[in-house]
Amino acid sequence: MDLARLLIANGGYNGFSYADISKTLGVTNASIHYHFSAKADLVKAVVLQYRENGRETLARVLAENDDPVALLRMFVDHWQRCLREGPLPFCICVMLASEMALLPDYVADEVQGHFDDLSSWLTEVVTRGDNAGLLTLQATPLQEARILMTVVHGALISARAARNPDLYGEIVMPALERLLVKAPVTRH
């Protein structure tokens, strides 16, 4: 499953086959089919594991850190580090979402679930930041969360396309700073 996750991150759903896995691991295709009768079953299992790991991580950092600004910075910084260091240089659900129309429904549902999970978490963080007076929202917390999520994912794609990890920060940081800037207090 770890190898499949890496292959998905690098090439998407149609960018790998059981032959790629069997060759790399030195096993037969039949041994992979024993555990996952179809490629879609393997990809669904990988996405389920990815979602579970993501939910656990996000819940833990939310419980451990009550600073919404630090949480937002952590979220955007995570992908900057991944682009530079790997080992998973790209969100597998972003990659799979670009192929959504080609995915079996039960895989597509899990990919959509990932975005729902992330959107919920970001909405909670943005709401906390707004309630604490730390953010300047131009839309609802849900909309701001989705905007930031979209900017991060678009920046991942752009940085990958340009083969320039620095491009990610050039795109994402102004979007994040827009949220963090507070309007000056006017005194009468």
Side-chain angles (χ1 to χ4, degrees):
M1 284 181 50
D2 291 341
L3 178 57
R5 186 175 59 218
L6 185 59
L7 291 169
I8 293 166
N10 287 321
Y13 185 82
N14 290 311
F16 79 99
S17 68
Y18 275 11
D20 298 316
I21 294 172
S22 63
K23 181 180 175 184
T24 302
L25 297 180
V27 298
T28 65
N29 282 0
S31 64
I32 301 169
H33 279 284
Y34 176 79
H35 297 284
F36 302 100
S37 61
K39 179 180 175 178
D41 297 329
L42 170 60
V43 173
K44 179 182 177 183
V46 169
V47 173
L48 281 168
Q49 181 184 60
Y50 187 79
R51 283 185 67 194
E52 183 59 31
N53 291 343
R55 283 191 301 262
E56 288 173 4
T57 299
L58 293 173
R60 184 182 72 250
V61 298
L62 193 61
E64 293 172 355
N65 191 334
D66 62 355
D67 180 353
V69 173
L71 290 168
L72 292 174
R73 288 191 187 284
M74 178 216 60
F75 171 68
V76 300
D77 290 347
H78 168 75
W79 289 110
Q80 181 76 51
R81 280 190 311 282
C82 289
L83 282 168
R84 291 185 187 286
E85 302 165 11
L88 190 62
F90 203 78
C91 174
I92 64 169
C93 289
V94 170
M95 181 62 86
L96 291 170
S98 70
E99 301 175 288
M100 200 70 131
L102 306 173
L103 299 177
D105 287 342
Y106 64 100
V107 175
D109 290 345
E110 294 303 327
V111 172
Q112 180 181 348
H114 164 76
F115 290 101
D116 293 342
D117 296 343
L118 187 54
S119 178
S120 293
W121 184 84
L122 282 169
T123 300
E124 174 66 23
V125 173
V126 169
T127 299
R128 288 182 183 189
D130 186 42
N131 290 342
L134 300 171
L135 303 178
T136 300
L137 305 188
Q138 296 176 11
T140 68
L142 174 61
Q143 290 168 324
E144 292 289 0
R146 287 180 175 164
I147 290 166
L148 182 60
M149 184 173 68
T150 301
V151 169
V152 165
H153 293 145
L156 280 169
I157 293 167
S158 295
R160 185 177 223 182
R163 298 178 183 165
N164 178 3
D166 293 334
L167 184 58
Y168 171 85
E170 293 171 19
I171 295 168
V172 170
M173 293 317 293
L176 179 59
E177 294 303 321
R178 178 193 63 81
L179 271 176
L180 304 181
V181 173
K182 294 302 296 174
V185 177
T186 55
R187 302 191 190 259
H188 299 299

